[in-house]
Amino acid sequence: MSDKFQEAFAKTRIAGSVASGALDELSKFIEPGISTNKIDNLCYEFINDNGAFSAPLFYRGFPKTCCTSANHIVCHGIPSDKILREGDIINVDVTAFKDGWHGDTSRMFYVGEVSVRAKKLVETTYEAMMKGIEVLTLNSHLGNIGEAIQNYVEKKGFSVVRDFCGHGIGEVFHKEPNVLHYGIKDVGKKLEVGMIFTIEPMINEGVYETKVLNDGWTAVTKDKKLSAQFEHTIGITNDGYEIFTASKKGLNFPPYK
Ligand code: MF3
Ligand code: CO
Ligand code: CO
């Protein structure tokens, strides 16, 4: 790989490890009774202590450090004084900006014991993200990612959100290409060495349609059924891919303790 790509990868690795480290840290605290503002504060402290900044904070007017999306919230939930209760499922999405580069990752958390149905949705969503990652290979097409995810998810009886997608990332938070989580094999842009982008499928229990609430951010499922999401930032290498936001503690999907 060229020096330019080596440097991009080295810096994304660092930003990515701050973001994934924040999620590792949160797993100690997420339990019934915690507010999403408390999650946001913990996230802020961790990112700050690690010499990084939160990319979402003040991004297009977003008011908080991370996104907290519980139950029927698909993505971009805004931390508030809302208290999490036993049985809730919640996605926390963290993007660290360090030394000019971004690392973007999210995971689901269980709040106490959750329903069998919720577990099935969360496990399917994690596996779907991994299916999308495992097909990554030089010169394959972006459509292969979407095809792998959609095929897996629909077989399980769940649906793939169309209104939000993964994205190129680097010195800029969101850039081309759009990475769709549904699609057709061998269609779309070809994967090239050095490309860095996210894969972040949002999977719904019911219909895939979403709507955005009046706060201009919070996206929810149209049918108020559950939604789940996981996200990694990855880079394309000569022999496949590198995940920049893997948990260093093996905290890949819940339960974490
Ligand atoms: N981290 C989200 C993503 O995966 C984007 C959050 S932007 C915000 O792309 F403004 F909503 F925080
Ligand atoms: Co993202
Ligand atoms: Co994100």
Side-chain angles (χ1 to χ4, degrees), residues 93-95 104-106 167 173-174 198 200 229 231:
D93 191 335
V94 176
T95 310
D104 187 5
T105 186
S106 80
H167 49 93
F173 187 3
H174 292 111
T198 71
E200 49 180 301
Q229 180 179 28
E231 175 175 24

Side-chain angles (χ1 to χ4, degrees), residues 116-244:
V116 170
R117 182 95 186 132
K119 276 186 195 157
K120 188 182 169 208
L121 176 67
V122 169
E123 285 166 11
T124 300
T125 306
Y126 177 77
E127 285 305 322
M129 174 184 69
M130 294 312 295
K131 301 271 177 217
I133 292 173
E134 283 159 9
V135 296
L136 298 174
T137 170
L138 208 53
N139 295 321
S140 70
H141 297 255
L142 276 178
N144 299 26
I145 300 168
E147 200 255 2
I149 292 171
Q150 183 178 14
N151 184 32
Y152 182 74
V153 165
E154 291 181 353
K155 268 197 198 126
K156 299 274 179 185
F158 297 128
S159 67
V160 178
V161 169
R162 311 294 205 254
D163 296 338
F164 302 92
C165 58
H167 49 93
I169 185 169
E171 290 168 289
V172 175
F173 187 3
H174 292 111
K175 59 179 213 166
E176 84 303 325
N178 284 336
V179 180
L180 306 187
H181 303 113
Y182 59 96
I184 300 167
K185 208 174 168 208
D186 299 331
V187 168
K189 193 177 156 69
K190 261 193 181 178
L191 302 185
E192 292 162 14
V193 173
M195 281 176 74
I196 300 177
F197 55 85
T198 71
I199 298 183
E200 49 180 301
M202 284 139 276
I203 306 303
N204 292 354
E205 188 186 6
V207 299
Y208 63 68
E209 285 90 352
T210 72
K211 66 171 190 189
V212 176
L213 301 185
N214 286 333
D215 62 20
W217 284 105
T218 311
V220 299
T221 55
K222 248 193 172 151
D223 59 10
K224 306 274 174 60
K225 291 190 180 178
L226 296 175
S227 186
Q229 180 179 28
F230 285 86
E231 175 175 24
H232 273 316
T233 298
I234 65 98
I236 302 298
T237 61
N238 279 306
D239 47 14
Y241 58 86
E242 175 171 348
I243 300 177
F244 296 115

